[in-house]
Amino acid sequence: MSEVTPPWAYETPEIRPHDPRLLLVAGTERARLAELLAPWLADGVEHVGSTAVPGLAAKPVIDLMASVRDLSAVVAQAGDGLAADGWCYVPPELDQRPWRRFFVKPDESGQHRVAHLHLIQAGHPRWAEQLAFRDALR
C-alpha cells in the first residue's frame, strides 16, 4: 500500500436493499480468485458476508474468503497477480487482525470498495465460523 491513504479507506458504509446482481459479481470474482490463488488454496473461495444472503440489506461490498495453506506465501508470491487484478493489500499492522491477510478491490474511480478478500489460514476456526454464520442467515 502506498504512503497516501486511498479514498476508499474512509468510505462511509451505506446499507442498501439487497441487490441480486452482487451474487453474480461475486461468482465471477470467486472464479477469478480460485484461478489466481490455486497453488495456495486449501478449502476454496467462498462468498460470505451480507451480500451472500439473498434478501438481506447490505453494504454493496462483496466479501470473499479464501482458505490458504500459508498466508505469508500468498502475499509474497501472489501479491503481484492480485494487484494486477485490482486488489490492494492492507498490511496486517493496519488491518489489526493477525488471523487473516486482507485485500480490498476498489472500483475504477478508486473512491469506493467493490470487494474484500479475507485470506484465512487453513484450519483456523474463523473459516468455519464465518461459513456457519452465513449459512444460518441464509
Side-chain angles (χ1 to χ4, degrees):
M1 189 173 252
S2 70
E3 296 295 321
V4 177
T5 304
W8 52 258
Y10 295 106
E11 183 177 13
T12 302
E14 182 182 323
I15 305 297
R16 297 184 186 160
H18 176 71
D19 182 350
R21 294 174 297 182
L22 293 176
L23 294 170
L24 300 173
V25 174
T28 300
E29 288 290 348
R30 278 183 67 204
R32 179 73 179 136
L33 286 168
E35 179 183 316
L36 286 169
L37 300 174
W40 304 277
L41 284 178
D43 295 309
V45 180
E46 292 285 339
H47 181 196
V48 296
S50 53
T51 62
V53 180
L56 186 65
K59 298 180 308 250
V61 179
I62 297 163
D63 282 286
L64 300 162
M65 181 174 71
S67 172
V68 298
R69 293 186 231 338
D70 185 331
L71 293 172
S72 297
V74 174
V75 172
Q77 298 167 16
D80 288 343
L82 289 166
D85 204 49
W87 292 97
C88 300
Y89 181 57
V90 179
E93 59 273 13
L94 291 177
D95 184 39
Q96 297 187 3
R97 289 171 180 86
W99 44 267
R100 74 173 181 189
R101 294 300 174 268
F102 188 58
F103 290 80
V104 173
K105 190 172 209 178
D107 65 7
E108 291 180 10
S109 75
Q111 301 291 310
H112 307 286
R113 297 171 186 226
V114 172
H116 295 153
L117 172 59
H118 310 260
L119 297 178
I120 307 292
Q121 182 71 41
H124 192 281
R126 182 66 179 203
W127 176 263
E129 292 165 357
Q130 193 72 34
L131 293 177
F133 183 68
R134 176 204 62 195
D135 294 346
L137 288 174
R138 281 179 171 171

